[in-house]
Amino acid sequence: MREILIIGAGRSASSLIQYLLNKSVTENLAITIADMSIVAAKKFTEGAPNARAIMLDVFNEKERRAAVQKADLVISMLPARFHMEVAKDCLTYGKHMVTASYISDEMKALDSKVKAKGLVFMNEIGLDPGIDHMSAMHVIDRIRDKGGKMLLFESFTGGLIAPESDNNLWNYKFTWNPRNVVVAGQGNAAEFVQEGTYKYIPYHRLFRRTEFLQVEGFGKFEAYANRNSLKYREIYGLEDVLTLYRGTMRRVGYSRAWNMFVQLGMTDDSYQLQETENMTYAQFVNCFLPYSPTDSVELKMRHSLKIDQDDLMWEKLLELDLFNRAKTIGIKNATPAQALQKILMDSWTLEPQDKDMIVMYHKFGYELNGERKQIDSNMVLVGEDQIQTAMAKTVGLPVAIAALKILNEEITTPGVQLPIKREVYEPILKELENYGIHFKEFTTPYLGYNPDNLT
Amino acid sequence: MREILIIGAGRSASSLIQYLLNKSVTENLAITIADMSIVAAKKFTEGAPNARAIMLDVFNEKERRAAVQKADLVISMLPARFHMEVAKDCLTYGKHMVTASYISDEMKALDSKVKAKGLVFMNEIGLDPGIDHMSAMHVIDRIRDKGGKMLLFESFTGGLIAPESDNNLWNYKFTWNPRNVVVAGQGNAAEFVQEGTYKYIPYHRLFRRTEFLQVEGFGKFEAYANRNSLKYREIYGLEDVLTLYRGTMRRVGYSRAWNMFVQLGMTDDSYQLQETENMTYAQFVNCFLPYSPTDSVELKMRHSLKIDQDDLMWEKLLELDLFNRAKTIGIKNATPAQALQKILMDSWTLEPQDKDMIVMYHKFGYELNGERKQIDSNMVLVGEDQIQTAMAKTVGLPVAIAALKILNEEITTPGVQLPIKREVYEPILKELENYGIHFKEFTTPYLGYNPDNLT
């Protein structure tokens, strides 16, 4: 029996655990599911052969080390900041490790020691980061093999509501951590490069500089820029590329409406408002509008954001019940972002029958034999229900597949790494297709942003 | 002879030093001017009796302690972060201390020890903070003495260009640290209270929510909100006040124009742009505009900010030579704010004959015998030249006057403090009038923001 320790039994772990449980008999896997909550862990192990649940506080060194020592491979599905304790133990006791998180500097620093022990520490192997790396390198390597030179790489991902559950004016519901949605894009300006020119978009303009994307069978989407596009030059070996842009996908119209909150300052998470516990929704809105003893919050809002009488933006606000004089925030010392999240959760929380959807869209521009060409590649996955969501599958299945392939010595290159090597992405992408995670490719004329090559 | 040690001989110290030198004979003062640059220190002492210059690195403990030990009172005109070393020595050796800086938490923590030794550590006694505290408390205490109840306090200060030197479209030049002007207002949202309602303005809206102010003989000004109005409730004992607002004054139209830079993201100081050393001004602007192989930076700018053909905003940009294709930023790894500062300094640096101007404007609303009343109080000071600037006088003279009054035991209450006690502000305000720093008072009808008392 090969021992797998899975730490963290949250929502993102369901498909991952299910995959490994399904394989446990044929693959001789003994699976330990560890969580702070024994109830959460036991949810998965009931009636499952070869599986047991344990309670584990990752900061309890003794418990953690005992659990790691028994395993052959450890999967950490904890938030990224908790990985390091586990990683150090894995190194000490010579265990492989898999995470779906970005490689931290601390994690990276373990690389030579991990290599020296012949261990595989595979990271960034969820959805984004994860499937994005694999599906991008799959096309980029092919283009290079043919002798093509990459000119453009754009990549977009969105966690959205499935078309059959899409029944509000925002075409959006919280299918994942609501907090991340409310604070999305904050921090430094978004930085990217277009036709060799660096571009920067500050947060307060981010949601007004969107691009459109068309996905066959699913209609039109829009995307706003991610902050960190440029770091992918190094990761993908795209140092010479003229255009590099990564973004987040939403249904058309979402960003323009979301921008209303950004403009008013309602998404700010850096300071606390006064007296939020008994603050009504309308009072919350009024915090960000000029004082008036006579004018309504509604009219001040319309005036401040220049919302015309017949503008659909207004209907979107009304749908959220934003001007309610009875409902209260109910949180002490809430930041604007926390208060806004509370209001949005009234409207954007999934109904029991709702399904989610993941959309990913890549554009690859390149030059081959003096000709400029483009490949578009996209993937759409709709969730089955609220356990086997599209998000849980796309995050968890690559982790699970990678874990098994490491145990089976199909993935062997040692070190702290992400899945950009053929050895890794080829078999994993292939197997993901069995679960409906399938990229379609289209050849399109390459235009870039400067079709006539003007200088 | 009484020994005064002045640490820091920068621009802000000139009026302060001049005042003390002028009094040195009649008041028996021996004045030591200490600076990192002996040249800077000597500029003031040449030909002055009772004065000597020394070179002092404030982090050289031995030198610093020797200098402090010799003095009866120490004035620190260093940037606020350097005060603490000096303050600890003053405590050790039993010396009074005066600064024009905000009281830091560290400084505050010395209070009981300073009191125990009977020392006066007077802070926040420059312009803002300083003259604002004194002139405000002067009126507030008078209103309270009569039995009045404060309802409203608003306070505005601006460091501007004198009318006779005001010859650009922005009606603005750098009369003080340019960096502070470029990053002004950044950080948390501005927070204040109007008629009992808390209001918050995020940075990217700050320059579009201005108020107008009229100063007799000097015309119309505008003001944008400072970030920290609410802390003045505690300092001035205004806990029950309905309206509390502090702001920064500019000439009308400045803020709307400055907002163009804010909107584009050009004032951001939190990250570095790529390849700024040889970047032209036009390329800098282009960083913040969408890519286009054909459209000019100018047209993209007009479109992005919706600047019409006949909008004066455009003339303001042209005046700064913002679209120059030859001038370069010339700074490695510049932040947007650093690059913008470079461009602005071409246009906004003072000419040799230029004079500066300080404007301060307070509004006091109160209720007395069931009647609501208002007093407005304002002060304008125009600089003499570029040594005896209005800024140097308003910052330095209160420091100098306070220092002498402490030595002469006219100010005796011990502890770490700011000038809000009658003992302090009355004689100092009186003496400042001799130097043209004079507040005019006007009685106006009290309107507040809710004149009809609607609820």
Side-chain angles (χ1 to χ4, degrees):
Chain A
M1 298 287 271
R2 284 91 56 84
E3 293 270 350
I4 296 181
L5 171 64
I6 300 167
I7 308 178
R11 281 164 74 190
S12 60
S14 56
S15 300
L16 149 69
I17 293 171
Q18 202 54 59
Y19 175 96
L20 292 173
L21 290 178
N22 289 347
K23 303 260 177 185
S24 66
V25 176
T26 55
E27 294 279 352
N28 276 321
L29 305 175
I31 298 163
T32 301
I33 299 168
D35 200 280
M36 280 284 278
S37 151
I38 185 73
V39 179
K42 278 202 167 148
K43 223 172 41 195
F44 292 104
T45 55
E46 256 168 51
N50 304 349
R52 66 183 189 113
I54 61 168
M55 200 185 83
L56 178 68
D57 170 1
V58 78
F59 290 109
N60 183 323
E61 188 176 284
K62 204 178 142 193
E63 282 178 15
R64 189 187 66 231
R65 289 191 168 176
V68 170
Q69 254 181 300
K70 275 191 213 139
D72 295 298
L73 181 146
V74 180
I75 295 171
S76 175
M77 294 302 282
L78 299 170
R81 63 186 182 283
F82 299 137
H83 290 329
M84 281 314 294
E85 309 302 320
V86 179
K88 285 174 198 161
D89 291 346
C90 285
L91 185 59
T92 305
Y93 300 115
K95 314 298 183 182
H96 300 295
M97 183 170 177
V98 183
T99 85
S101 306
Y102 285 105
I103 298 176
S104 64
D105 290 340
E106 259 185 300
M107 182 70 85
K108 205 174 190 172
L110 299 183
D111 184 50
S112 56
K113 287 182 186 163
V114 170
K115 273 184 184 144
K117 287 208 167 185
L119 297 173
V120 181
F121 276 26
M122 181 63 69
N123 302 274
E124 306 195 16
I125 191 157
L127 167 63
D128 174 4
I131 292 177
D132 58 345
H133 291 324
M134 296 192 282
S135 53
M137 287 311 296
H138 179 61
V139 177
I140 292 171
D141 280 345
R142 241 170 48 216
I143 289 169
R144 285 179 179 148
D145 286 350
K146 281 195 233 165
K149 178 183 155 52
M150 287 292 296
L151 298 175
L152 170 149
F153 174 62
E154 300 190 34
S155 178
F156 310 90
T157 306
L160 298 164
I161 188 77
E164 55 261 52
S165 308
D166 184 347
N167 56 8
N168 70 34
L169 291 174
W170 293 74
N171 307 116
Y172 190 80
K173 293 183 189 179
F174 289 128
T175 59
W176 203 242
N177 188 345
R179 186 185 145 75
N180 292 352
V181 175
V182 175
V183 303
Q186 292 183 21
N188 286 356
E191 183 178 5
F192 54 94
V193 61
Q194 278 179 309
E195 299 291 345
T197 308
Y198 291 104
K199 295 291 175 186
Y200 307 85
I201 309 179
Y203 174 64
H204 64 269
R205 305 273 282 189
L206 196 59
F207 295 94
R208 297 302 291 124
R209 298 253 313 252
T210 53
E211 303 201 359
F212 291 134
L213 293 160
Q214 191 81 35
V215 180
E216 217 188 300
F218 290 88
K220 206 169 177 178
F221 297 83
E222 66 186 17
Y224 60 84
N226 292 352
R227 281 184 295 149
N228 56 356
S229 295
L230 296 189
K231 77 170 188 183
Y232 290 82
R233 288 200 285 210
E234 201 190 333
I235 298 172
Y236 296 173
L238 295 173
E239 283 83 358
D240 299 331
V241 93
L242 291 173
T243 298
L244 188 57
Y245 182 95
R246 286 173 48 97
T248 297
M249 290 172 84
R250 294 285 181 258
R251 281 294 187 181
V252 173
Y254 174 92
S255 301
R256 195 163 98 84
W258 184 259
N259 184 55
M260 294 190 288
F261 300 140
V262 174
Q263 288 310 310
L264 291 175
M266 287 182 178
T267 60
D268 197 328
D269 200 39
S270 68
Y271 72 95
Q272 297 174 337
L273 299 170
Q274 309 258 357
E275 302 172 0
T276 47
E277 191 160 18
N278 299 311
M279 181 183 275
T280 67
Y281 291 5
Q283 282 170 338
F284 170 65
V285 176
N286 196 30
C287 284
F288 304 100
L289 296 169
Y291 177 83
S292 161
T294 47
D295 299 317
S296 64
V297 176
E298 284 87 343
L299 188 64
K300 290 193 293 184
M301 181 91 160
R302 278 186 183 274
H303 173 256
S304 179
L305 297 179
K306 301 187 170 63
I307 304 173
D308 285 331
Q309 179 72 18
D310 58 355
D311 194 330
L312 190 63
M313 294 297 112
W314 189 252
E315 303 305 309
K316 293 186 184 184
L317 298 178
L318 292 183
E319 191 187 70
L320 297 174
D321 211 3
L322 197 64
F323 305 104
N324 191 301
R325 267 86 171 163
K327 289 192 205 167
T328 56
I329 301 299
I331 305 168
K332 269 190 195 165
N333 307 318
T335 66
Q338 287 166 342
L340 178 60
Q341 180 182 328
K342 165 65 169 61
I343 294 173
L344 295 175
M345 285 178 79
D346 290 355
S347 299
W348 291 358
T349 298
L350 296 177
E351 299 292 320
Q353 74 288 357
D354 279 343
K355 293 175 185 175
D356 74 331
M357 174 172 73
I358 296 294
V359 188
M360 190 174 281
Y361 198 110
H362 301 303
K363 297 182 187 185
F364 306 89
Y366 61 101
E367 200 173 86
L368 181 63
N369 306 325
E371 242 187 297
R372 294 194 298 180
K373 295 163 175 284
Q374 184 169 326
I375 295 170
D376 282 19
S377 160
N378 66 46
M379 179 272 289
V380 182
L381 183 71
V382 173
E384 286 173 43
D385 52 39
Q386 287 196 30
I387 307 293
Q388 298 299 326
T389 62
M391 186 66 93
K393 285 186 183 188
T394 51
V395 171
L397 290 175
V399 170
I401 295 169
L404 191 54
K405 287 191 189 302
I406 291 167
L407 280 183
N408 289 342
E409 293 177 14
E410 293 169 57
I411 295 173
T412 54
T413 310
V416 173
Q417 59 193 285
L418 47 83
I420 51 172
K421 290 200 191 74
R422 217 173 294 233
E423 167 198 60
V424 179
Y425 69 68
E426 266 189 350
I428 295 178
L429 284 176
K430 182 117 200 72
E431 188 169 342
L432 284 173
E433 292 193 357
N434 301 337
Y435 297 86
I437 302 171
H438 174 68
F439 280 82
K440 288 186 191 165
E441 285 187 18
F442 307 85
T443 307
T444 75
Y446 174 63
L447 300 173
Y449 291 89
N450 185 2
D452 301 320
N453 236 333
L454 299 171
T455 53
Chain B
M1 298 287 272
R2 284 91 55 85
E3 292 271 351
I4 296 182
L5 171 64
I6 300 168
I7 307 179
R11 283 163 73 190
S12 61
S14 57
S15 299
L16 148 70
I17 293 171
Q18 202 53 58
Y19 175 96
L20 292 172
L21 291 178
N22 289 346
K23 304 261 177 183
S24 67
V25 177
T26 56
E27 294 280 355
N28 277 321
L29 304 176
I31 297 163
T32 302
I33 299 169
D35 200 281
M36 280 285 279
S37 150
I38 186 72
V39 179
K42 278 200 167 151
K43 224 173 39 198
F44 293 104
T45 56
E46 255 167 52
N50 304 348
R52 66 180 189 115
I54 61 169
M55 200 186 81
L56 179 69
D57 170 1
V58 79
F59 290 109
N60 182 322
E61 187 175 287
K62 205 179 143 193
E63 282 178 15
R64 188 187 68 231
R65 289 191 169 175
V68 170
Q69 254 180 303
K70 276 191 213 140
D72 295 298
L73 181 146
V74 180
I75 295 172
S76 175
M77 293 303 279
L78 299 171
R81 63 187 181 283
F82 300 137
H83 290 330
M84 282 315 294
E85 309 302 319
V86 178
K88 284 174 199 160
D89 291 346
C90 285
L91 186 60
T92 305
Y93 300 115
K95 313 298 182 183
H96 301 296
M97 183 170 178
V98 184
T99 85
S101 306
Y102 286 106
I103 297 175
S104 63
D105 289 340
E106 258 185 301
M107 182 71 87
K108 204 173 191 173
L110 300 183
D111 184 51
S112 57
K113 286 181 187 166
V114 169
K115 272 184 183 143
K117 287 208 165 186
L119 296 173
V120 181
F121 276 25
M122 181 64 71
N123 302 275
E124 306 194 17
I125 192 157
L127 168 62
D128 175 4
I131 293 178
D132 58 344
H133 291 324
M134 296 191 283
S135 53
M137 287 310 297
H138 179 62
V139 178
I140 292 170
D141 279 346
R142 242 170 49 218
I143 289 169
R144 284 179 180 150
D145 286 351
K146 283 195 233 166
K149 177 183 156 52
M150 287 293 294
L151 300 174
L152 170 149
F153 175 62
E154 300 189 34
S155 179
F156 310 89
T157 306
L160 297 163
I161 188 76
E164 55 262 51
S165 308
D166 184 347
N167 56 7
N168 69 34
L169 291 174
W170 292 73
N171 307 114
Y172 190 79
K173 294 182 189 180
F174 289 128
T175 60
W176 204 242
N177 188 347
R179 187 186 145 74
N180 292 351
V181 176
V182 175
V183 302
Q186 294 182 18
N188 286 356
E191 183 178 5
F192 54 95
V193 61
Q194 276 179 310
E195 300 292 346
T197 307
Y198 290 105
K199 295 290 176 187
Y200 307 86
I201 308 180
Y203 175 63
H204 64 269
R205 305 275 281 190
L206 195 59
F207 296 93
R208 297 304 290 125
R209 298 258 306 258
T210 53
E211 303 202 359
F212 291 134
L213 292 160
Q214 192 82 34
V215 179
E216 216 186 301
F218 290 88
K220 205 170 178 178
F221 297 84
E222 65 187 17
Y224 60 83
N226 291 352
R227 278 183 297 150
N228 56 356
S229 294
L230 295 189
K231 77 172 189 181
Y232 290 82
R233 288 199 287 210
E234 199 190 334
I235 297 173
Y236 295 172
L238 295 173
E239 283 82 358
D240 299 332
V241 91
L242 292 173
T243 298
L244 187 58
Y245 182 96
R246 285 173 49 97
T248 298
M249 289 173 85
R250 293 286 180 258
R251 281 295 186 179
V252 173
Y254 173 92
S255 302
R256 196 163 96 84
W258 184 259
N259 184 55
M260 295 190 285
F261 300 140
V262 174
Q263 289 310 309
L264 291 176
M266 287 182 180
T267 61
D268 198 328
D269 201 37
S270 68
Y271 71 95
Q272 296 175 338
L273 299 171
Q274 309 260 355
E275 302 172 359
T276 48
E277 191 160 21
N278 299 310
M279 181 183 275
T280 67
Y281 291 6
Q283 283 170 338
F284 170 66
V285 176
N286 196 29
C287 284
F288 305 99
L289 295 169
Y291 177 83
S292 159
T294 46
D295 298 320
S296 65
V297 176
E298 285 86 344
L299 189 64
K300 290 192 293 184
M301 181 92 160
R302 280 188 182 274
H303 173 255
S304 178
L305 297 178
K306 300 187 170 64
I307 304 173
D308 285 331
Q309 180 71 17
D310 58 353
D311 193 329
L312 190 62
M313 293 299 110
W314 189 251
E315 304 305 310
K316 293 187 184 184
L317 297 179
L318 292 183
E319 191 187 71
L320 298 174
D321 211 3
L322 198 65
F323 304 105
N324 192 301
R325 265 85 172 165
K327 290 193 204 166
T328 56
I329 301 300
I331 306 167
K332 269 190 195 165
N333 307 319
T335 66
Q338 287 166 343
L340 178 61
Q341 181 181 329
K342 166 64 170 62
I343 294 172
L344 295 175
M345 285 177 78
D346 289 355
S347 298
W348 291 358
T349 297
L350 296 177
E351 299 291 321
Q353 73 288 355
D354 279 344
K355 294 175 184 174
D356 73 330
M357 173 171 75
I358 296 293
V359 188
M360 191 174 280
Y361 198 111
H362 302 302
K363 299 182 184 185
F364 307 88
Y366 61 102
E367 199 172 87
L368 180 63
N369 306 326
E371 241 186 299
R372 293 194 299 180
K373 293 163 177 283
Q374 182 168 328
I375 295 170
D376 282 18
S377 161
N378 66 47
M379 180 272 288
V380 181
L381 183 71
V382 173
E384 286 173 43
D385 51 39
Q386 288 197 27
I387 307 292
Q388 299 298 326
T389 62
M391 185 67 91
K393 285 186 183 187
T394 51
V395 172
L397 290 174
V399 170
I401 296 168
L404 191 55
K405 288 191 188 301
I406 291 167
L407 280 181
N408 289 342
E409 293 177 13
E410 293 169 57
I411 295 173
T412 55
T413 310
V416 174
Q417 60 192 284
L418 46 85
I420 50 172
K421 290 200 191 73
R422 218 173 295 233
E423 168 199 57
V424 179
Y425 70 68
E426 266 188 351
I428 295 178
L429 285 175
K430 184 120 199 66
E431 189 168 343
L432 284 174
E433 292 193 358
N434 302 338
Y435 297 87
I437 302 171
H438 174 68
F439 281 82
K440 289 187 191 164
E441 284 185 18
F442 307 85
T443 306
T444 74
Y446 174 63
L447 299 173
Y449 292 89
N450 185 3
D452 301 322
N453 237 333
L454 300 170
T455 54

